[in-house]
Amino acid sequence: MASSSSRSTSPFMVLAISMLLIAAAPHVNAKLTCEQVTVWLTPCISYGVFGGPVPPACCDGLRSIDKVMKTREDRITKCNCVKEGAAKIPGLDYDRCNKLPGICGTSTPYKLTRDIDCSKVK
């Protein structure tokens, strides 16, 4: 039974480790990249799917994004990356995900939905 459970979370761990190896550390005045967003938000997946306590690494990731996200282009990049990534996660609860900024003390200028038009993000 335990091996079945570990196999179901294994792809998430592989994704997280792979993205950590690929992602470059943010630099001052650097543009936000989808790779950064993916790495920083990967710890939020378990909360988005199953609920329960929000992992501290999830809030750390949201705060990291806020530090780097400076321009409208960055906000659009984040929106597109999150929208595309979220669509690939079975069982993701969008309402739960939209609570994360409030729980973590960050802000997002839009609500995540399956059909959000990221080009309209201000």
Side-chain angles (χ1 to χ4, degrees):
M1 206 72 168
S3 63
S4 172
S5 176
S6 65
R7 273 188 253 144
S8 66
T9 57
S10 176
F12 292 119
M13 293 305 294
V14 171
L15 172 65
I17 292 168
S18 299
M19 295 311 294
L20 285 171
L21 294 173
I22 294 171
H27 301 286
V28 176
N29 299 326
K31 288 184 179 181
L32 184 66
T33 67
C34 193
E35 289 80 11
Q36 290 170 315
V37 172
T38 301
V39 168
W40 286 326
L41 294 184
T42 296
C44 302
I45 293 172
S46 62
Y47 173 77
V49 175
F50 302 111
V54 176
C58 173
C59 290
D60 291 344
L62 285 170
R63 285 189 284 274
S64 293
I65 291 171
D66 275 1
K67 287 179 187 174
V68 175
M69 191 172 56
K70 303 291 184 199
T71 66
R72 180 172 182 264
E73 181 182 346
D74 289 338
R75 289 186 292 278
I76 291 171
T77 296
K78 176 188 173 195
C79 179
N80 281 317
C81 184
V82 171
K83 177 183 176 181
E84 291 170 16
K88 297 175 185 174
I89 301 172
L92 187 69
D93 183 327
Y94 285 76
D95 290 331
R96 194 178 295 134
C97 291
N98 284 316
K99 294 177 184 176
L100 283 170
I103 292 169
C104 294
T106 62
S107 63
T108 298
Y110 54 85
K111 293 288 183 192
L112 178 64
T113 62
R114 293 185 199 300
D115 59 351
I116 186 170
D117 183 350
C118 293
S119 69
K120 294 182 180 177
V121 170
K122 296 185 182 208

